[in-house]
């Protein structure tokens, strides 16, 4: 019961030797496909998390400041509707927007516990320490883990639970897995629990493409970082500088893709897997998709997961949306 004690801070890690397997399996599976692909979670080692924070500050990356504005405008309403005592945050990263929700919960006198969940161990530890210092009496139960596999390790909620999944990260799932993931998420809401989902909205493709291909090249460095991760963790010999960053909006699917394009023919050895991978000149490796949403897409996904939209909050320019939903 220690995580429920007022002011207690614990961090539990569920990433172990098997999770090196997860990178190994993803590399083996993804680099031997006709369209080479790696899941975006491997972008976020400590360096990748720092680079993502830098992306959030870029002028082109409208998502972070817009989502923050929406939260600042509507956080009190979210808390009034949910009575949340616990905030679980999936893919919490450095939790910059989290304080807006915690402040509203503290203001309403409901705040008891914060549960950050992220694959990036360094950020979970940093956030757990920082927020427990900032909010007197707040219990923090950090979970270092994969939100696709470790949600069963969430502690029992001390009261009404609010699960926040911000930053548009839900868009990284392809449509089928997205609904499967949301169904799993619905199961951990508990009685009277709610989910708060941040999603980027469909808009002028030029605005979206600029957000994933900034002038300062930070997103390019973030994207290439996944090759450093594979080199370090699996003894591979990617020539990282021989790949260029590509971001394009797929108008039919309404998602943006990040890819890495080999500038020339490349032979890569992945020592830990005894694997040789060849890239043709200009061959691409897909590293992320980020789906953009309409109200209809959101309602369809939520309904398929047994969830009902309670409120859809957006900004005046309708760039981004934050949806509050509960189990039907
Ligand atoms: C797009 S960032 C969003 C960060 C923050 N929530 C925000 O809104 O700025 C995605 C975050 O999710 C984490 N993440 C990605 N895939 C994950 C997974 N499968 N399990 C747990 N965390 C994951 C990353 O480490 C990163 O912190």
């Amino acid at each position: 019961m220690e995580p429920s004690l007022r002011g207690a801070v614990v961090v539990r890690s569920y990433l172990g030797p098997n999770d090196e397997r997860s990178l190994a399996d993803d590399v083996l599976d993804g680099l031997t496909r006709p369209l080479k692909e790696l899941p975006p979670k491997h972008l976020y080692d400590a360096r990748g998390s720092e680079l993502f924070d830098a992306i959030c500050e870029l002028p082109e990356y409208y998502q972070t400041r817009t989502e923050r504005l929406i939260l600042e405008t509507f956080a009190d309403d979210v808390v009034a509707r949910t009575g949340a005592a616990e905030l679980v945050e999936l893919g919490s990263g450095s939790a910059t927007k989290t304080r807006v929700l915690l402040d509203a919960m503290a203001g309403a006198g409901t705040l008891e516990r914060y549960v950050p969940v992220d694959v990036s161990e360094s950020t979970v530890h940093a956030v757990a320490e920082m927020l427990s210092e900032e909010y007197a009496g707040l219990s923090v139960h950090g979970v270092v883990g994969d939100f696709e596999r470790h949600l069963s390790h969430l502690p029992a909620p001390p009261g009404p639970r609010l699960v926040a999944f911000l930053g548009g990260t839900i868009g990284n799932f392809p449509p089928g897995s997205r609904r499967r993931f949301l169904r799993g998420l619905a199961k951990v809401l508990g009685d009277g629990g709610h989910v708060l989902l941040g999603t980027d909205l469909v808009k002028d493709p030029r605005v979206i493409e600029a957000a994933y291909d900034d002038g300062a090249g930070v997103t390019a460095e973030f994207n290439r970082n996944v090759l450093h991760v594979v080199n370090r963790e699996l003894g591979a010999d990617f020539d990282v500088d021989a790949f260029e960053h590509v971001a394009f909006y797929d108008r039919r699917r309404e998602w943006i893709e990040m890819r890495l394009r080999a500038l020339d023919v490349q032979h890569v050895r992945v020592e830990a897997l005894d694997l040789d991978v060849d890239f043709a000149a200009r061959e691409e490796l897909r590293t992320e998709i980020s789906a953009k949403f309409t109200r209809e897409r959101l309602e369809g996904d939520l309904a398929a997961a047994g969830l009902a939209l309670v409120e859809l909050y957006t900004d005046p320019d309708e760039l981004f949306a934050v949806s509050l939903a509960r189990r039907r």
Side-chain angles (χ1 to χ4, degrees):
M1 272 308 280
E2 84 275 46
S4 296
L5 290 177
R6 259 182 88 71
V9 181
V10 293
V11 175
R12 298 267 150 82
S13 178
Y14 298 97
L15 298 181
N18 287 344
D19 289 277
E20 280 155 31
R21 282 306 327 146
S22 147
L23 175 65
D25 289 346
D26 289 342
V27 168
L28 191 57
D29 181 40
L31 295 192
T32 54
R33 290 184 192 175
L35 168 57
K36 295 182 172 63
E37 182 163 29
L38 288 174
K41 69 179 169 200
H42 301 305
L43 290 161
Y44 294 92
D45 64 345
R47 175 74 184 137
S49 299
E50 276 173 24
L51 286 166
F52 181 75
D53 283 348
I55 289 172
C56 291
E57 303 289 322
L58 293 168
E60 294 94 336
Y61 202 77
Y62 58 86
Q63 288 95 320
T64 306
R65 60 178 176 273
T66 311
E67 189 177 39
R68 171 187 286 281
L69 172 74
I70 297 169
L71 292 174
E72 284 169 352
T73 311
F74 298 108
D76 287 342
D77 189 61
V78 170
V79 175
R81 285 172 185 268
T82 60
E86 181 193 60
L87 178 64
V88 175
E89 186 174 13
L90 307 182
S92 42
S94 54
T96 51
K97 289 160 287 186
T98 309
R99 287 173 184 78
V100 180
L101 291 168
L102 294 178
D103 285 346
M105 291 163 73
T110 60
L111 178 62
E112 289 187 40
R113 186 167 63 193
Y114 175 56
V115 182
V117 180
D118 205 289
V119 275
S120 170
E121 178 150 22
S122 53
T123 58
V124 174
H125 279 281
V127 155
E129 246 172 63
M130 207 163 44
L131 292 182
S132 68
E133 275 169 24
E134 279 178 36
Y135 292 84
L138 177 69
S139 303
V140 181
H141 184 118
V143 174
V144 180
D146 185 332
F147 51 52
E148 290 189 68
R149 294 185 295 128
H150 298 132
L151 290 189
S152 59
H153 295 297
L154 293 178
R161 170 174 275 175
L162 177 63
V163 179
F165 195 23
L166 303 177
T169 310
I170 186 73
N172 294 155
F173 288 95
S177 336
R178 188 162 76 219
R179 291 183 169 193
R180 182 162 41 87
F181 174 76
L182 285 172
R183 208 170 302 147
L185 199 165
K187 292 201 184 104
V188 301
L189 294 182
D191 284 340
H194 288 75
V195 56
L196 194 65
L197 196 61
T199 49
D200 199 6
L201 296 177
V202 170
K203 64 182 71 62
D204 181 346
R206 285 168 301 183
V207 175
I208 300 176
E209 281 178 346
Y212 291 83
D213 195 7
D214 62 280
V218 184
T219 315
E221 200 183 333
F222 171 68
N223 194 8
R224 278 194 286 264
N225 184 56
V226 76
L227 302 183
H228 286 300
V229 170
V230 178
N231 281 352
R232 187 185 62 230
E233 300 296 324
L234 300 177
D237 61 359
F238 275 102
D239 178 358
V240 177
D241 294 331
F243 284 84
E244 66 179 345
H245 169 69
V246 177
F248 70 93
Y249 187 66
D250 182 329
R251 286 168 168 72
R252 190 168 64 81
R253 297 193 173 96
E254 296 185 315
W255 71 42
I256 187 132
E257 294 201 7
M258 290 208 310
R259 295 183 176 198
L260 289 168
R261 181 187 292 144
L263 293 174
D264 211 335
V265 173
Q266 273 228 36
H267 177 81
V268 180
R269 171 85 186 147
V270 187
E271 203 56 50
L273 300 177
D274 192 15
L275 176 72
D276 293 286
V277 182
D278 286 304
F279 283 82
R282 303 191 62 74
E283 186 176 346
E284 294 177 358
L285 160 66
R286 184 159 71 180
T287 51
E288 180 174 301
I289 66 161
S290 179
K292 306 305 165 192
F293 289 78
T294 56
R295 187 185 179 103
E296 294 66 39
R297 178 164 296 149
L298 262 167
E299 283 181 333
D301 283 351
L302 292 172
L307 292 163
L309 188 64
V310 174
E311 195 62 70
L312 188 139
Y313 307 105
T314 186
D315 55 291
D317 298 324
E318 302 200 341
L319 296 172
F320 202 90
V322 175
S323 312
L324 183 65
R326 60 172 161 68
R327 267 161 54 175
R328 273 185 298 165

